[in-house]
Amino acid sequence: MTNQEYGELVNSMSPPSPLGKDLVCAFCVGGGICCVGQALQMLYAHFGLSRQDAGTATSVSLIFLAALFTGLKVYDRLAKHAGAGTLVPVTGFANSIVSPAMEFKSEGFVTGMAAKMFQIAGPVLVFGIGSSVIYGLILCLLRG
């Protein structure tokens, strides 16, 4: 069987994906998370925080809520229906750190939870930090 024949066989056996429904769900859930973030930021500003401090408090709150809901298995149930809508950067990143930590907690604190916590997010951190350092060095050299 060739790769093309295998691909055709898989396509004929796979159920069609409801792309329109998936897009609407992702948009609504992702937009809902962003609306919650905006509401939190406005609430913090109302209580006297500066714009920058309100933004920081909002990020911390969203990270905490995403980690809490991941721990309670609410975030995973939401992601099952919302798909990419739950990958809004801050909440999706918090989920990608907490999920492996919870999955491997039975292997112990150090060898399980702590070792596996950054299994998914680790490459993102390494390449994100590495890219920013390289970009900063290039910017310094061009300006210097």
Side-chain angles (χ1 to χ4, degrees):
M1 178 177 279
T2 66
N3 287 342
Q4 184 178 4
E5 291 172 337
Y6 179 74
E8 290 172 3
L9 177 65
V10 168
N11 287 337
S12 68
M13 301 291 236
S14 300
S17 176
L19 186 60
K21 178 183 166 268
D22 291 347
L23 289 172
V24 170
C25 285
F27 178 79
C28 290
V29 171
I33 292 171
C34 291
C35 287
V36 168
Q38 183 64 43
L40 284 170
Q41 186 170 9
M42 291 169 64
L43 181 69
Y44 291 136
H46 177 73
F47 286 119
L49 290 178
S50 70
R51 183 174 171 87
Q52 185 173 0
D53 290 342
T56 301
T58 300
S59 295
V60 169
S61 298
L62 287 174
I63 290 167
F64 170 77
L65 289 172
L68 177 68
F69 291 151
T70 299
L72 297 173
K73 302 199 185 317
V74 172
Y75 202 90
D76 294 335
R77 280 185 269 152
L78 179 64
K80 188 176 186 179
H81 300 289
T86 58
L87 295 178
V88 175
V90 172
T91 56
F93 190 71
N95 176 263
S96 73
I97 291 174
V98 174
S99 290
M102 291 191 52
E103 184 177 339
F104 293 101
K105 70 181 176 184
S106 63
E107 295 180 21
F109 185 73
V110 174
T111 57
M113 190 178 76
K116 304 291 186 176
M117 186 181 298
F118 294 105
Q119 187 174 16
I120 296 171
V124 175
L125 289 171
V126 168
F127 288 108
I129 293 169
S131 299
S132 66
V133 167
I134 291 169
Y135 177 76
L137 289 172
I138 292 170
L139 192 61
C140 255
L141 292 173
L142 291 177
R143 286 189 181 173

